[in-house]
Amino acid sequence: MTPRSVRRARTPAPLLVPAALAVAFLVLPLAGLLVRTPWSQLGALLTAPGVGQALRLSLVSATLATLVSVVLGVPLAWVLARSRARGRAVLRALVTVPLVLPPVVGGVALFLVLGRQGIVGRWLDEAFGLTIPFTTAAVVIAETFVAMPFLVISVEGALRAADVRYEDAAATLGADRWTTFRRVTLPLVAPGVAAGAVLCWARALGEFGATITFAGNFPGTTQTMPLAVYLALQRDPQAAIVLSLVLLLVSVATLLLLRDRWLGRGAA
């Protein structure tokens, strides 16, 4: 081992204590969840009325929100990464606002736009008799609003890291911009799109604030798993723990899907 490797392997003593405290702060609540899980009642609680509906609705709505985010977010990421249009910095700031905006505020904003008296919602109601709030569609819209920025940021980063020489070569061979995007750019950034989609799906699955504000909490229609956890915590804490365990397992599975792209890179 070289002296440089020895220096890198040693952790400065003043960093060990705060690092250990940080690990304890992040890991102990998860460990407490596992310790307090009523394993003997796990099957009965998971098969209780409403749990299956909430889980099914969460999976379907998160998947639909991810599909919408991919269809809309990938072109947006390309505009942010490759377009020379003015105002990209402002556009990027606007796209990332949902990342720092309290989800409840996002739900209120959606309600003011798509509610029956909203800017767009009033027209939809008068012209088509279409009401969006407190429906399953509202769940998908709320989840898309809070989750799409994760995909956009991931794909934009992949586009910026991609070698543009392949695209230039395709252009010199006569390919137009759309053909180059489909056959060259998209395959190059496919891992970034996949990673962004997984993050987007996980964020949509765990969405709470915007959903309960814009879609409500109606079993079988808008009650997703996070809302079911909140409701169960008030009536049956044991059921809330079990539902939380399910979401924890989904989060761990998400990390495992991303390990080669992020965790493995950090270990290297």
Side-chain angles (χ1 to χ4, degrees), residues 244-267:
S244 300
L245 178 65
V246 173
L247 291 177
L248 174 62
L249 294 177
V250 171
S251 301
V252 172
T254 302
L255 290 177
L256 293 177
L257 287 174
L258 293 174
R259 69 185 185 280
D260 292 334
R261 180 170 178 80
W262 286 0
L263 299 183
R265 180 180 299 178

Side-chain angles (χ1 to χ4, degrees), residues 61-71 73 140 143-152 154-155 192-207 254 258 262:
S61 61
T63 301
L64 291 176
T66 302
L67 291 176
V68 174
S69 297
V70 169
V71 172
V140 176
E143 292 179 351
T144 303
F145 178 79
V146 300
M148 187 188 297
F150 288 89
L151 181 135
V152 173
S154 179
V155 176
V193 175
V198 172
L199 282 176
C200 178
W201 186 83
R203 178 64 185 89
L205 189 71
E207 165 52 30
T254 302
L258 293 174
W262 286 0

Side-chain angles (χ1 to χ4, degrees), residues 44-260:
L45 291 173
L46 286 176
T47 56
V51 174
Q53 286 183 336
L55 180 58
R56 190 181 308 109
L57 178 62
S58 292
L59 296 176
V60 171
S61 61
T63 301
L64 291 176
T66 302
L67 291 176
V68 174
S69 297
V70 169
V71 172
L72 302 180
V74 172
L76 175 57
W78 188 93
V79 170
L80 293 175
R82 299 293 173 82
S83 173
R84 297 182 180 179
R86 295 181 178 180
R88 283 187 304 162
V90 176
L91 179 60
R92 183 178 295 105
L94 292 175
V95 169
T96 55
V97 164
L99 293 176
V100 296
L101 189 71
V104 174
V105 177
V108 172
L110 288 172
F111 204 91
L112 294 177
V113 173
L114 297 174
R116 295 189 65 178
Q117 300 301 320
I119 300 173
V120 178
R122 177 182 298 179
W123 173 76
L124 292 175
D125 184 47
E126 294 176 352
F128 305 100
L130 182 62
T131 302
I132 295 178
F134 310 115
T135 64
T136 303
V139 176
V140 176
I141 292 173
E143 292 179 351
T144 303
F145 178 79
V146 300
M148 187 188 297
F150 288 89
L151 181 135
V152 173
I153 290 175
S154 179
V155 176
E156 182 189 0
L159 284 167
R160 292 185 180 279
D163 194 341
V164 297
R165 291 178 297 179
Y166 294 104
E167 300 176 6
D168 294 338
T172 59
L173 293 175
D176 57 28
R177 298 297 293 271
W178 173 241
T179 302
T180 300
F181 175 78
R182 288 189 298 110
R183 298 190 175 183
V184 179
T185 306
L186 202 54
L188 281 175
V189 300
V193 175
V198 172
L199 282 176
C200 178
W201 186 83
R203 178 64 185 89
L205 189 71
E207 165 52 30
F208 176 83
T211 303
I212 196 171
T213 305
F214 183 56
N217 186 15
F218 301 103
T221 304
T222 65
Q223 187 181 92
T224 58
M225 285 290 284
L227 301 184
V229 171
Y230 176 76
L231 188 63
L233 189 60
Q234 304 175 44
R235 301 184 307 182
D236 187 356
Q238 298 295 322
I241 293 174
V242 171
L243 294 176
S244 300
L245 178 65
V246 173
L247 291 177
L248 174 62
L249 294 177
V250 171
S251 301
V252 172
T254 302
L255 290 177
L256 293 177
L257 287 174
L258 293 174
R259 69 185 185 280
D260 292 334

